[in-house]
Amino acid sequence: MLIEALVGYPNWLFAKVRHPVVWIGALIARLDETVNKEAHAAATRRTAGMVNLAFVLAAALIPCWILQASLMDWAWPLGLAILAVLASSLFAQRSLHSHVAAVAEGLEREGLAGGRKAVAMVVGRDPASLDEPGVARAAIESLAENFSDGVVAPAFYCGLAGLPGLAVYKAANTADSMIGHKTPRHSAFGWAAARYDDVMNLPASRLSVLWVVLAALLLADCNAFQAWRSVKRDARKHRSPNAGWPEAAFAGALGLRLAGPRLYAGLQVEDSWMGNGRAEAGAGDIRRALTLYRAAAAIQVLAIALLLALLSLLA
């Protein structure tokens, strides 16, 4: 996590070999194109989706399990250092911060047009339908949800099972983002991916609330009590079983309202509001959310370090 926070995933490396998530995505896209036939019955497509999800997870698990076992047996502690570098590629702390900060910069420099252009890189909704507060809220919502999905969950599964656990989680999360949608093409084929991702993200979404509340306690312009109150009142009302938890925590801590009715691909999605603060957000609120995000991510790193120190003393 420290490696990824400091250097991220280098652009030169992405240009040469792309990224592990891109490799996983290419496999999912190929299977979707090859196996997901619209002429097949819904039950057949759902079964095919289950089999293909299992294949994708195995394709992520087996090479990483072999690699981890080999490196840990090969040269200690050099093997562990190599594993740390490889695992760092599957965290998203730095890249998430950069993409969300770009939305604030776009709003500050170019107004609504700049904000819409930048937010299109981080959300799936139609940016043309967003006014300036909508752009700011969308960026903060993405930051909150991806704090859970891209930072807390990878740490959780890496802690449980090392590189193989981390790879399986990223494969599941990528499958959900690509095919886990309630569209005519993917409602059956992507059903297993969506449900599996919901289960995988359940622990991290709850754990992310703890880090956000603790971070809010340390920041003068955040409210930890309101963060916790917002989670208790609103998190379960969200259309997603997991996204509502970090979104409600961020909303309460920042004194905002997040989520609510939104437009995706021209379709209105009705959802409950997270938090009971103001809906009029701006670039300054994105900056405040990024400060909260950095503090929560730092608390997670510190908590893991303290846990490891305790375990080493007890061993």
Side-chain angles (χ1 to χ4, degrees):
M1 294 180 70
L2 291 174
I3 292 168
E4 194 276 334
L6 291 171
V7 302
Y9 194 81
N11 290 332
W12 64 265
L13 185 59
F14 183 86
K16 286 184 176 295
V17 299
R18 296 303 181 191
H19 187 276
V21 170
V22 176
W23 308 340
I24 296 169
L27 174 61
I28 295 167
R30 183 63 181 270
L31 292 171
D32 182 24
E33 180 183 353
T34 305
V35 180
N36 185 17
K37 301 299 184 183
E38 296 184 12
H40 293 167
T44 302
R45 296 171 78 180
R46 179 175 289 197
T47 302
M50 294 178 188
V51 173
N52 280 274
L53 175 64
F55 181 79
V56 169
L57 298 181
L61 170 67
I62 294 171
C64 290
W65 179 78
I66 294 172
L67 182 61
Q68 177 166 293
S70 300
L71 285 172
M72 295 297 278
D73 290 340
W74 170 52
W76 179 271
L78 181 58
L80 181 63
I82 295 172
L83 279 174
V85 171
L86 294 173
S88 72
S89 69
L90 296 176
F91 285 86
Q93 298 169 111
R94 189 180 182 92
S95 61
L96 175 58
H97 187 283
S98 297
H99 280 96
V100 174
V103 181
E105 292 168 6
L107 288 172
E108 291 164 348
R109 294 180 181 179
E110 303 174 41
L112 180 57
R116 284 174 172 172
K117 181 179 178 181
V119 84
M121 302 296 293
V122 296
V123 299
R125 70 195 71 173
D126 180 11
S129 68
L130 300 174
D131 57 9
E132 187 166 329
V135 168
R137 289 197 309 271
I140 296 169
E141 290 160 16
S142 180
L143 180 67
E145 183 176 357
N146 284 290
F147 172 60
S148 175
D149 292 0
V151 180
V152 180
F156 182 81
Y157 287 105
C158 190
L160 282 181
L163 185 63
L166 178 54
V168 166
Y169 170 74
K170 293 301 291 187
N173 192 240
T174 304
D176 176 62
S177 67
M178 292 182 65
I179 63 173
H181 309 297
K182 294 180 179 179
T183 60
R185 176 165 181 80
H186 291 128
S187 60
F189 185 74
W191 176 85
R195 298 291 78 75
Y196 188 75
D197 183 72
D198 287 344
V199 173
M200 291 283 282
N201 276 304
L202 191 148
S205 64
R206 277 63 173 173
L207 187 58
S208 67
V209 171
L210 174 61
W211 305 144
V212 172
V213 170
L214 290 176
L217 281 172
L218 303 177
L219 299 174
D221 60 347
C222 290
N223 190 318
F225 172 75
Q226 288 299 331
W228 180 248
R229 186 177 182 182
S230 178
V231 169
K232 290 178 64 179
R233 183 187 61 239
D234 301 328
R236 290 181 175 85
K237 300 175 185 177
H238 199 285
R239 59 191 290 266
S240 163
N242 296 312
W245 295 76
E247 286 187 22
F250 267 75
L254 297 169
L256 297 173
R257 276 195 299 165
L258 301 176
R262 306 186 288 285
L263 197 65
Y264 287 93
L267 298 176
Q268 182 78 7
V269 174
E270 298 299 329
D271 203 355
S272 300
W273 288 100
M274 301 291 106
N276 62 354
R278 53 187 169 83
E280 295 297 312
D285 294 301
I286 299 176
R287 300 286 187 192
R288 292 172 57 225
L290 287 167
T291 300
L292 179 63
Y293 166 77
R294 290 193 298 270
I299 287 171
Q300 176 174 249
V301 171
L302 178 61
I304 292 170
L306 291 174
L307 177 61
L308 291 174
L310 177 63
L311 291 174
S312 66
L313 289 174
L314 295 175

